[in-house]
Amino acid sequence: MAAAPPAPSPARPRPWLTALAIIAALGSAALLLWAVRDPLFTAAFAAGLVGLGAVLAFASSFRSAPASAEAAPRTDIGLLRAAADSASGAVAITDTDGRLVCANSSYSDWFGGAAAPAELPLEGEEESLAAAGAEARRDGNSARARLRIHGLNLALAVERAGLGDTHLVWRFTRSDEVDLLREAQRLIGGQAGKRISEAGLMAALADAEGNLIAANQAFVARATGRPEAAISGTRLVDLIAVTEEGQFHFAGEPRGTAPLRIIQIPVTEGEDPLTLFLLLDDPSGGRGRLGKEESASVNALLDFIPMGLALANVDGRFIYLNKAFRKAVGLPKDARPVYPGDLVVDEDKAAVSESVRRFARGPSTSSDLAVRLKAQPDEPVALGIAGARGLGEAAVILSLKDNSEADRLKRQVAQATKMQAVGQLAGGVAHDFNNILTAILGYCDLMLMRHTPGDSDYDDIHQIRSNSNRAAGLTRQLLAFSRQQTLRPQVLQLPDVISEVLNLLKRLLGETVKLQVKHGRNLGAVRADPGQLEQVIVNLAVNARDAMPQGGTLTLHTYSVTPEEVRRLGSDILPAGDYTALKVSDTGTGIPPAILGKIFEPFFTTKEVGKGTGLGLSTVYGIVKQSGGFIFAESEEGEGTSFTIYLPVHRAEGAARPVKAKAKEGARELWGTGTILLVEDEAMVRSVAERALTRHGYTVFTAENGEAALEILAREEVIDLMISDVVMPTMDGPTTVREARKTRPDLPILFISGYAEEQLRKSIDLERVQFLAKPFSVQKLAEAARDALLTK
């Protein structure tokens, strides 16, 4: 801040000018007396001159007063701030109104901004700083010993200052600041130093040059022989001697005395660091390294520690590596690395070598270093490096944690996330594709109604329909992988399912593969879709056949698993419970470990192009998971592969009730009557469904969304059945049904959707609803409409 310009000096009285005026007045009076010869007139004239002079003098002094006041020197704020910056702590000056006039840089650093001291917020205090200011204006000064502002522990002193005591000077000091040098001197040379001396511990404080600053009585007595000697400024190296064996002794003591053990503790850092040296007698004789027996004991102890640990000497050479360290860095048993840098990639060698060298010769501190190992160059690991003292030849400890298990879990989580994302994509694609297939199959059925076998177009239409059914099978596989397919679960026994598919398996396996079936005892019933379980068995059998090109044996083994057996398996995925297991084993070529974790991924296949879709095992995985089960794969190259499926045992409280059995028994004719409201946002599906229902005798009203359907319901008196898609824009099917049942509570509902029935039933909280999965044929639609009307 620039200083104010200097003010002009105030006017000073001039005595010679006053004397001259008096002489002039007397001369004028004498001249007048000589001229008029009248003493009385001359005296009056002289008195008038004197009075006029007095008036003029008074007016002159009156005019100079404000000029003098204006010319008073102004406060130089820059000078004040420079003076405040030289003070320790934070200093601020406020005026009569409490406004901030000036503050030093520490005040700005501690409190930020230009807030006046009285406005600073106190932590945990009800009283504000304004009270301290008021107290200082009243008493001249004020103080607060303990304050906490902005996380700082402070002490405050306030005092009046300035002309007329109109300003306040606020001084804040840090109450947690400690003069380390003074404190160390006090501890070592004071009562604490005496206590340390009585314990037989010698202590000395030295500066960066090795000159002693303070020492306790025990150190002074041993180093000089005189407890009261002054050793301040003496070099520490002049008091300590080193033998050829590397032992430390006081220079003034004879050779036969016990050697010293010296501990070096950094007290401060910076340009002039202070170091505390603690010295004590070493009764072990000061051996520089551990004996063979002690080294063997230390090494055996380190081998039991699960963390990877290694020891290196001052030169940075390995002197020991425990088993966990070797496993973590991927070293074989016979490998003998020389330096820690030999274990990392070339880019990290220099950093590792420098860190080992620094910690080997520096203080006993530690740090972590991110490096890439040669065995795992793609995954950085944390290498811990610490200075070692008291372990004989070892100068550095290196630690490395074995993260293989954590990495495996990370890969499993990433794999599960990827499978879930691909499953959602596959489910969405299958849903849209089902709408297209529904239209193709519907139009094929309508065309077949107008053609008879033998017509020129009949075979072509039938071929289109067959290919559409194959495409529908592919969408079912996608839905099975994404766990969104429609399942018809039943309570069943696994041996019954295997017996149903046994003849098909024999034809698929051929003559070169031998099929063996083994069933255990006391198998619990499971709840699953028998058709989907048959697909699981067929897919696993076909994969096993392809893995045995020269022939082999395929074994299907069912057995029960108790909770105790599950616990003995030690699986983190399989919860304890009663299971019925199916194990499918082959004697084929096996699966390499590198791809064993990818076999359940969609579209992953090791077969030649054109010989596999890559959905076989992913479909198996989806069906098993959707059925509430678990599947595990075990393989050994050249020995074969085993897939084990665990299905939870079903505990049924009562017999399963057949669904709509009476309705189907009493109505085999597809022709019907009634009025149907069809709600479908896909135009092609809506068109084919309308034509199919009309052909079977129904009166059909169509709506492309939920809002249009509600308008039709409000307009038409008779609606016998409502057929609705589930997923539609603006208003979905369930919402439309809830609104419709407010006025027609007994209205039958038939939902059609490409998503899984079980998934939809979980999200649709509605009663008396039927479900038809896409894609469907004209006949399936007619049957579903007939059954829904019969349950009315």
Side-chain angles (χ1 to χ4, degrees):
M1 181 180 293
S9 301
R12 297 181 180 178
R14 300 175 181 178
W16 60 271
L17 186 61
T18 304
L20 182 62
I22 294 173
I23 293 172
L26 293 175
S28 299
L31 182 62
L32 182 61
L33 180 61
W34 177 77
V36 298
R37 304 287 183 180
D38 187 351
L40 183 61
F41 178 78
T42 302
F45 177 77
L49 289 178
V50 172
L52 179 62
V55 170
L56 293 176
F58 178 79
S60 176
S61 63
F62 181 79
R63 285 194 305 268
S64 65
S68 299
E70 293 179 359
R74 298 179 180 178
T75 303
D76 190 342
I77 301 300
L79 184 61
L80 283 177
R81 176 155 188 168
D85 281 338
S86 64
S88 61
V91 178
I93 301 174
T94 58
D95 60 12
T96 308
D97 298 328
R99 292 189 297 266
L100 185 65
V101 176
C102 176
N104 66 352
S105 57
S106 296
Y107 185 91
S108 302
D109 294 339
W110 290 3
F111 309 127
E119 300 173 358
L120 296 176
L122 296 178
E123 299 179 13
E125 297 286 343
E126 296 181 357
E127 182 186 21
S128 65
L129 291 180
E135 184 179 331
R137 288 192 179 280
R138 184 185 69 242
D139 301 334
N141 56 69
S142 176
R144 297 292 186 271
R146 295 180 179 274
L147 298 175
R148 187 168 179 81
I149 306 174
H150 295 317
L152 302 176
N153 297 320
L154 304 171
L156 170 65
V158 189
E159 61 178 328
R160 289 199 308 252
L163 295 174
D165 290 338
T166 57
H167 289 68
L168 292 180
V169 179
W170 305 68
R171 293 184 177 87
F172 296 88
T173 56
R174 293 277 294 271
S175 58
D176 55 356
E177 287 183 343
V178 178
D179 188 339
L180 292 177
L181 175 59
R182 185 178 302 172
E183 187 68 14
Q185 288 177 325
R186 184 185 66 82
L187 289 175
I188 295 174
Q191 193 66 28
K194 293 180 180 179
R195 294 283 184 265
I196 296 175
S197 299
E198 293 173 358
L201 189 64
M202 295 164 281
L205 183 68
D207 59 15
E209 303 297 329
N211 299 319
L212 293 178
I213 299 175
N216 66 348
Q217 291 181 357
F219 181 92
V220 175
R222 288 283 299 274
T224 64
R226 293 178 291 111
E228 304 300 330
I231 61 173
S232 178
T234 306
R235 296 181 61 194
L236 180 62
V237 295
D238 295 338
L239 302 176
I240 303 296
V242 183
T243 65
E244 297 177 355
E245 294 81 10
Q247 298 175 348
F248 295 98
H249 298 268
F250 281 110
E253 292 183 340
R255 276 297 192 92
T257 57
L260 299 173
R261 178 176 296 179
I262 302 176
I263 302 173
Q264 179 180 351
I265 303 175
V267 177
T268 62
E269 298 179 353
E271 297 181 358
D272 298 317
L274 300 178
T275 304
L276 176 65
F277 292 91
L278 300 178
L279 297 84
L280 67 160
D281 293 325
D282 188 359
S284 64
R287 288 176 293 177
R289 64 186 64 190
L290 298 177
K292 293 183 178 180
E293 295 181 359
E294 291 140 322
S295 297
S297 300
V298 171
N299 296 347
L301 177 62
L302 294 180
D303 270 336
F304 281 105
I305 299 177
M307 176 180 289
L309 294 175
L311 303 178
N313 59 16
V314 178
D315 298 329
R317 294 173 177 267
F318 278 125
I319 58 177
Y320 177 74
L321 298 87
N322 71 349
K323 295 178 181 178
F325 192 91
R326 287 180 170 275
K327 180 181 178 182
V329 299
L331 282 177
K333 293 182 179 180
D334 56 347
R336 295 289 184 271
V338 179
Y339 296 100
D342 298 338
L343 305 176
V344 300
V345 297
D346 294 340
E347 293 82 357
D348 296 337
K349 284 180 179 292
V352 172
S353 300
E354 174 62 22
S355 298
V356 171
R357 183 195 63 78
R358 185 173 69 254
F359 283 96
R361 292 174 169 81
S364 299
T365 56
S366 62
S367 179
D368 289 337
L369 186 66
V371 298
R372 290 170 296 163
L373 301 174
K374 286 184 177 179
Q376 301 172 355
D378 297 329
E379 298 181 6
V381 297
L383 177 64
I385 305 176
R389 302 295 181 268
L391 291 179
E393 188 179 358
V396 177
I397 300 177
L398 297 99
S399 61
L400 191 65
K401 186 177 180 181
D402 183 9
N403 294 324
S404 57
E405 185 66 18
D407 294 339
R408 183 183 66 83
L409 293 177
K410 289 180 182 179
R411 287 192 295 268
Q412 287 182 352
V413 172
Q415 177 70 10
T417 304
K418 182 171 64 175
M419 295 276 281
Q420 181 181 4
V422 175
Q424 292 176 350
L425 175 63
V429 171
H431 173 262
D432 294 338
F433 198 49
N434 276 334
N435 285 330
I436 300 173
L437 290 177
T438 299
I440 295 175
L441 289 172
Y443 283 116
C444 286
D445 290 341
L446 294 175
M447 293 177 66
L448 288 174
M449 291 180 182
R450 301 193 301 269
H451 293 76
T452 58
D455 291 349
S456 59
D457 295 333
Y458 183 86
D459 292 338
D460 295 336
I461 298 172
H462 197 273
Q463 186 64 35
I464 294 173
R465 193 177 189 280
S466 298
N467 290 332
S468 298
N469 285 326
R470 290 183 60 189
L474 181 60
T475 60
R476 281 193 296 272
Q477 286 187 326
L478 287 173
L479 288 172
F481 162 70
S482 61
R483 307 181 212 173
Q484 297 177 6
Q485 66 175 345
T486 300
L487 296 182
R488 304 293 181 184
Q490 300 177 13
V491 180
L492 49 83
Q493 290 284 346
L494 277 182
D496 297 338
V497 178
I498 295 175
S499 63
E500 289 290 335
V501 77
L502 204 56
N503 292 330
L504 175 61
L505 291 180
K506 292 179 180 178
R507 290 196 301 269
L508 289 173
L509 296 177
E511 297 179 356
T512 59
V513 177
K514 181 181 178 182
L515 178 61
Q516 291 183 351
V517 180
K518 301 178 183 179
H519 295 305
R521 296 181 179 181
N522 301 323
L523 298 179
V526 298
R527 187 174 184 271
D529 187 328
Q532 299 297 334
L533 283 185
E534 291 177 3
Q535 183 180 354
V536 167
I537 297 172
V538 169
N539 285 2
L540 293 177
V542 170
N543 280 349
R545 179 201 63 187
D546 296 339
M548 298 182 289
Q550 306 299 326
T553 302
L554 174 65
T555 304
L556 303 181
H557 183 203
T558 59
Y559 57 96
S560 62
V561 182
T562 63
E564 291 75 15
E565 292 173 336
V566 173
R567 295 188 187 96
R568 285 198 294 269
L569 292 175
S571 174
D572 297 332
I573 301 175
L574 187 64
D578 291 316
Y579 296 92
T580 297
L582 169 62
K583 188 172 185 179
V584 182
S585 305
D586 63 61
T587 58
T589 56
I591 303 174
I595 66 175
L596 186 61
K598 303 178 181 179
I599 58 176
F600 293 118
E601 293 184 9
F603 310 112
F604 177 80
T605 180
T606 57
K607 299 177 182 179
E608 298 177 5
V609 178
K611 290 189 177 181
T613 62
L615 289 174
L617 289 178
S618 61
T619 301
V620 169
Y621 180 85
I623 293 173
V624 172
K625 297 301 291 183
Q626 193 174 359
S627 301
F630 302 87
I631 182 170
F632 300 94
E634 298 176 352
S635 182
E636 186 174 348
E637 289 188 85
E639 298 294 332
T641 303
S642 296
F643 289 90
T644 306
I645 300 171
Y646 296 90
L647 296 175
V649 174
H650 179 68
R651 306 296 183 184
E653 297 181 358
R657 179 174 57 88
V659 181
K660 299 185 288 293
K662 295 182 179 179
K664 292 186 178 180
E665 291 175 1
R668 299 185 181 278
E669 181 62 44
L670 298 181
W671 186 268
T673 58
T675 303
I676 297 177
L677 174 58
L678 175 64
V679 188
E680 171 61 59
D681 61 320
E682 288 286 345
M684 53 185 176
V685 177
R686 187 172 64 249
S687 175
V688 71
E690 179 186 8
R691 290 181 57 183
L693 293 172
T694 303
R695 271 184 166 273
H696 286 83
Y698 299 103
T699 302
V700 182
F701 293 99
T702 61
E704 62 182 5
N705 52 50
E707 292 85 349
L710 295 177
E711 292 178 1
I712 295 174
L713 286 172
R715 183 178 68 244
E716 299 296 330
E717 293 184 0
V718 179
I719 297 293
D720 299 310
L721 174 65
M722 180 176 174
I723 301 176
S724 174
D725 192 8
V726 176
V727 181
M728 294 184 296
T730 63
M731 182 181 289
D732 59 11
T735 305
T736 305
V737 170
R738 292 189 186 95
E739 293 296 324
R741 281 190 169 173
K742 290 180 180 179
T743 56
R744 300 172 188 256
D746 298 328
L747 180 64
I749 303 298
L750 173 62
F751 279 124
I752 54 175
S753 178
Y755 288 107
E757 178 180 358
E758 289 190 356
Q759 297 291 333
L760 293 175
R761 287 192 183 276
K762 291 179 182 178
S763 60
I764 299 174
D765 186 17
L766 294 171
E767 297 180 354
R768 302 187 309 279
V769 296
Q770 309 298 326
F771 183 85
L772 178 62
K774 296 178 182 178
F776 50 78
S777 62
V778 170
Q779 181 180 357
K780 289 289 185 182
L781 178 61
E783 290 177 355
R786 176 203 63 195
D787 295 340
L789 286 170
L790 288 176
T791 58
K792 183 177 178 181

